[in-house]
């Protein structure tokens, strides 16, 4: 059984790295990183998110995320506001320019995904998404980790 777990981990790791490399090649045309894309994508829901949620969603440590958000602010894609529910926290939001940027990036990523997604039959793609979501949920629960708000509410996991 241990060997099967290692093989599954290897397959998941290889698939994630290849998919991330492919998305990065698309985003590179826009001078955008996968991590910046993840931040813009989460903020596109219009709710505003605190830095911890953004770090979790982008899979970045807090200091690295802060530098990335600083860059996005400098580029006028993101702005920060005090959280009205907790004045000690800051919420990040997309600017109109950031929303447009995210739309362009989403179109490019979706177009590229359309080139390789048909390699999986539609039912296989849906089953894979369900199984991966179930695996992530089970591992998260085993670790006692609560999923970030966006993941819980939308089912999205990046």
């Amino acid at each position: 059984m241990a060997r099967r777990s290692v093989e599954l981990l290897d397959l998941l790791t290889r698939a994630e790295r290849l998919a991330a490399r492919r998305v990065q090649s698309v985003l590179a045309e826009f001078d955008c990183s996968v991590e910046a894309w993840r931040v813009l994508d989460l903020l596109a829901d219009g709710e505003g998110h605190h830095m911890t949620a953004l770090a979790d969603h982008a899979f970045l440590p807090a200091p690295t995320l802060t530098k990335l958000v600083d860059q996005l602010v400098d580029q006028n894609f993101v702005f920060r506001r005090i959280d009205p529910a907790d004045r000690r926290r800051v919420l990040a939001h997309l600017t109109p320019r950031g929303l447009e940027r995210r739309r362009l990036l989403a179109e490019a990523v979706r177009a590229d995904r359309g080139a390789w997604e048909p390699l999986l039959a539609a039912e296989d793609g849906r089953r894979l998404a369900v199984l991966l979501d179930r695996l992530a949920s089970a591992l998260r629960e085993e670790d006692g980790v609560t999923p970030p708000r966006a993941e819980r509410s939308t089912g999205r996991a990046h």
Side-chain angles (χ1 to χ4, degrees), residues 22-142:
R22 181 138 186 166
V23 169
Q24 182 58 62
S25 70
V26 171
L27 297 174
E29 297 175 29
F30 297 88
D31 195 28
C32 182
S33 68
V34 171
E35 295 79 14
W37 158 246
R38 287 178 174 143
V39 168
L40 296 173
D41 190 52
L42 179 58
L43 293 177
D45 67 8
E47 294 181 22
H49 295 275
H50 55 80
M51 300 301 274
T52 304
L54 291 174
D56 289 346
H57 193 75
F59 304 107
L60 290 173
T64 305
L65 183 272
T66 298
K67 290 177 188 171
L68 174 60
V69 170
D70 287 345
Q71 292 170 356
L72 294 171
V73 168
D74 289 346
Q75 295 169 326
N76 193 28
F77 294 138
V78 171
F79 68 94
R80 296 180 181 110
R81 289 288 180 259
I82 300 293
D83 183 348
D86 181 352
R87 299 196 48 80
R88 296 169 296 172
R89 298 179 90 168
V90 173
L91 295 176
H93 299 268
L94 284 183
T95 64
R97 184 170 185 244
L99 193 57
E100 176 61 16
R101 170 78 160 184
R102 189 272 179 181
R103 186 190 65 73
L104 291 172
L105 294 171
E107 286 176 4
V109 168
R110 199 171 16 255
D112 181 68
R113 193 172 58 220
W116 60 265
E117 231 173 34
L119 299 175
L120 286 176
E123 183 57 31
D124 288 341
R126 284 189 291 274
R127 284 184 54 217
L128 180 59
V130 167
L131 291 171
L132 290 173
D133 186 54
R134 190 180 306 157
L135 175 61
S137 294
L139 292 171
R140 197 174 23 252
E141 287 172 12
E142 186 175 291

